[in-house]
Amino acid sequence: MKQILNMITATISLNKDHMPVQRDQDVVPFRNRVKEYATKIRMGLVNQTKLQTAASELVRNMLRYGGGGEILIEVVSRGRDNGIRLTFSDKGPGIADIAMAMKDGYSTGKSLGLGLPGTKRLVNEFDIKSELGKGTKVVILKWANG
Amino acid sequence: MAIDITKIFKKKQTEILERWMQNQLADAGLREDLMSNEDLRAESEELITALVKSLNDKNLSDADSGDFDHVIEILSGISISRARQGYSPRETGLFIMSLKQALIEVVQDEIEGPKELVEVTLKLNRLMDSFSIITFETFIKGREEVILRQTDEISEISTPVIRVWDGIIALPIIGTLDSARTQVVMESLLTEIVESESSVAILDISGVPTVDSLVAQHLLKTVSATRLMGAECIISGIRPEIAQTIVHLGIDLSGIVTKATLASALQYAFRTLRLVVKKEVKAIS
Ligand SMILES: Nc1ncnc2c1ncn2[C@@H]1O[C@H](COP(=O)(O)OP(=O)(O)OP(=O)(O)O)[C@@H](O)[C@H]1O
Ligand SMILES: [Mg+2]
């Protein structure tokens, strides 16, 4: 946890919120929560859409491959800019080859294989850590005006 | 001196029921519109009979004991049916909590030694608390069933297929396009194509808040299925922010006809069908 946070730009966390996600029905409420936070810090529409889509990809991965997990939503600030940081942690099987999983089109689930690489392109900061048999943790950050 | 709790409760069963009924009826929030007093009494009596029958000195401190299976069954049944009928958690909770009060009142009258009284009261408290938890858990399960049923209903009513023109149908999608929803959308779309002998189908996604890779995949599947039926599928209602997101995500929609608005999709469909819409020019007389 500490390690990952350090890799992401040093920021001040202003406000945080935990959300457990166990079922498909939890996706929409979670996305709406992200939207609420994004609106609160006046994130523009395009950035908001990108953040929501990225969040949606990660929460779906967590449900599909990680067997559900927990998400930490944080409002962070750096100088004059505010942003939203989302931390997705699951206790699933983990990812054997992260470099492979980050490639466009790689999927073990007969899907498009765009979730992880696409998410990375949609956000300002992206970090993934995974340990086989232990679980996966993905942290993303999107600035309101980034 | 050992206290025979079974004997006390057997002897006092009617009194417990009366006290319990009084406690329940005393609450101002009682829903007489949802249940008559007779029904409430019948339910209460059934539960108390089962409880008194299964309770003894040993299992008094063991809520997990198999002896209580029947009690829990009755309790869960009551709780689920209340959830379905729209009772509030407060009303449902009151049912079991006021029983606890009645039991403790009776025990207070019957047991003289303060030490024994405290001991029995504590045990009763714990037992009834765990029954309360079961009540709430099943109540919530009942509510969730209601919600799931409503979700199914919503996904059906919210996918209307519109015959816009002879040979052209449109399907506005509103909300999230998950797997279950896609199934419904695809089915109604394909059926309607056959029934109306349409050759162009417009899928309007103006009302879809997020297009992630899952939604995109569902859209792609729907488009291929439409093509297999011999019809062309156009996706309209792609908002600028969605377009930018799709590009970054890396989703390839290049093989599909996409339009920003439903109107431009309709224009395209007219052209495909060689239809011309003209403004009438009136001769000035
Ligand atoms: N939380 C996770 N736990 C375990 N494995 C994961 C997790 N997230 C992703 N993976 C693995 O990484 C692969 C790539 O993920 P990615 O989201 O890029 O593609 P996908 O989910 O397969 O397809 P898409 O997201 O396009 O529908 C997955 O197929 C899966 O094997
Ligand atoms: Mg994915």
Side-chain angles (χ1 to χ4, degrees):
Chain A
M1 177 79 189
K2 267 271 153 55
Q3 257 176 328
I4 289 196
L5 292 186
N6 289 342
M7 298 207 44
I8 294 250
T9 313
T11 50
I12 310 159
S13 168
L14 301 173
N15 194 348
K16 41 169 98 178
D17 201 354
H18 272 279
M19 235 178 135
V21 169
Q22 296 301 338
R23 305 173 308 168
D24 285 345
Q25 286 95 310
D26 298 333
V27 173
V28 175
F30 162 65
R31 270 202 318 239
N32 288 341
R33 185 79 65 92
V34 172
K35 187 178 180 177
E36 251 170 57
Y37 275 90
T39 314
K40 227 184 275 173
I41 65 164
R42 295 166 194 277
M43 189 179 278
L45 184 58
V46 174
N47 278 352
Q48 243 189 65
T49 309
K50 286 180 180 174
L51 174 67
Q52 269 198 70
T53 309
S56 188
E57 292 295 342
L58 296 177
V59 72
R60 285 197 197 285
N61 278 355
M62 198 160 91
L63 282 166
R64 181 156 178 193
Y65 306 108
E70 207 183 53
I71 305 157
L72 175 66
I73 307 172
E74 287 170 291
V75 175
V76 294
S77 98
R78 177 189 62 180
R80 233 177 281 161
D81 206 4
N82 284 338
I84 305 241
R85 178 164 60 204
L86 302 173
T87 307
F88 299 77
S89 338
D90 68 59
K91 294 195 166 65
I95 301 172
D97 188 343
I98 291 184
M100 198 69 163
M102 290 304 298
K103 281 210 175 100
D104 277 321
Y106 175 82
S107 170
T108 57
K110 291 201 184 111
S111 199
L112 298 175
L114 292 175
L116 289 178
T119 297
K120 188 171 180 183
R121 289 188 288 264
L122 288 172
V123 296
N124 298 115
E125 292 181 34
F126 178 99
D127 194 57
I128 180 166
K129 289 252 155 40
S130 189
E131 204 174 324
L132 275 183
K134 289 252 171 75
T136 303
K137 177 170 269 183
V138 185
V139 186
I140 57 172
L141 196 159
K142 184 89 190 160
W143 296 112
N145 306 304
Chain B
M1 186 189 66
I3 304 287
D4 191 346
I5 192 85
T6 324
K7 223 167 96 192
I8 296 178
F9 284 158
K10 279 226 167 84
K11 189 175 78 183
K12 292 282 180 179
Q13 188 173 331
T14 338
E15 192 187 327
I16 296 172
L17 179 62
E18 286 317 316
R19 280 179 186 264
W20 185 17
M21 285 304 294
Q22 261 171 33
N23 291 346
Q24 294 189 72
L25 297 175
D27 189 88
L30 188 76
R31 300 293 292 269
E32 285 179 45
D33 53 329
L34 290 179
M35 188 191 280
S36 69
N37 285 354
E38 288 77 54
D39 290 344
L40 182 64
R41 176 174 284 270
E43 267 188 357
S44 307
E45 193 162 8
E46 189 190 7
L47 182 67
I48 203 141
T49 311
L51 180 65
V52 168
K53 205 183 269 170
S54 52
L55 193 68
N56 58 44
D57 286 319
K58 236 201 264 127
N59 62 27
L60 180 60
S61 43
D62 178 18
D64 296 329
S65 158
D67 303 348
F68 294 125
D69 284 354
H70 188 48
V71 174
I72 288 170
E73 201 179 297
I74 296 174
L75 205 53
S76 311
I78 292 174
S79 194
I80 286 236
S81 83
R82 290 189 171 208
R84 289 193 189 124
Q85 290 168 49
Y87 278 76
S88 71
R90 181 196 158 87
E91 287 148 4
T92 312
L94 186 81
F95 178 72
I96 184 80
M97 286 173 186
S98 55
L99 169 60
K100 170 162 116 179
Q101 197 188 331
L103 288 174
I104 289 174
E105 281 164 9
V106 166
V107 164
Q108 262 170 356
D109 291 347
E110 292 295 311
I111 300 176
E112 305 219 314
K115 191 161 156 281
E116 287 87 351
L117 179 59
V118 168
E119 201 177 305
V120 169
T121 309
L122 277 178
K123 283 182 183 165
L124 260 180
N125 222 336
R126 225 172 287 144
L127 182 72
M128 296 309 289
D129 282 353
S130 86
F131 287 161
S132 300
I133 290 171
I134 292 171
T135 307
F136 279 114
E137 279 175 350
T138 37
F139 180 81
I140 287 167
K141 225 190 276 160
R143 297 299 301 165
E144 276 172 357
E145 277 170 24
V146 172
I147 293 167
L148 280 181
R149 210 185 52 229
Q150 287 170 342
T151 312
D152 286 348
E153 282 165 9
I154 290 169
S155 77
E156 277 205 4
I157 54 171
S158 57
T159 47
V161 185
I162 303 159
R163 295 190 192 185
V164 220
W165 203 265
D166 200 21
I168 306 171
I169 55 173
L171 200 153
I173 304 171
I174 293 159
T176 307
L177 197 59
D178 57 14
S179 310
R181 191 79 184 285
T182 308
Q183 201 56 40
V184 179
V185 165
M186 227 195 270
E187 262 166 40
S188 39
L189 190 66
L190 299 186
T191 317
E192 196 61 26
I193 287 176
V194 176
E195 270 176 17
S196 63
E197 296 178 25
S198 292
S199 48
V200 182
I202 304 170
L203 224 53
D204 188 82
I205 59 166
S206 328
V208 179
T210 313
V211 180
D212 58 10
S213 64
L214 187 77
V215 172
Q217 207 187 8
H218 288 323
L219 285 174
L220 292 170
K221 272 187 194 155
T222 311
V223 171
S224 341
T226 323
R227 282 184 181 158
L228 281 178
M229 305 286 300
E232 184 168 2
C233 192
I234 308 166
I235 296 181
S236 71
I238 300 187
R239 302 189 298 276
E241 66 274 16
I242 299 272
Q244 292 186 50
T245 307
I246 288 179
V247 170
H248 277 99
L249 204 50
I251 296 165
D252 182 16
L253 292 183
S254 58
I256 300 174
V257 182
T258 53
K259 298 284 165 198
T261 62
L262 185 61
S264 48
L266 200 55
Q267 247 168 22
Y268 177 90
F270 281 155
R271 237 176 303 151
T272 319
L273 298 179
R274 295 171 182 280
L275 294 168
V276 184
V277 181
K278 268 205 228 160
K279 191 169 189 173
E280 193 182 12
V281 187
K282 267 201 184 142
I284 305 157
S285 57

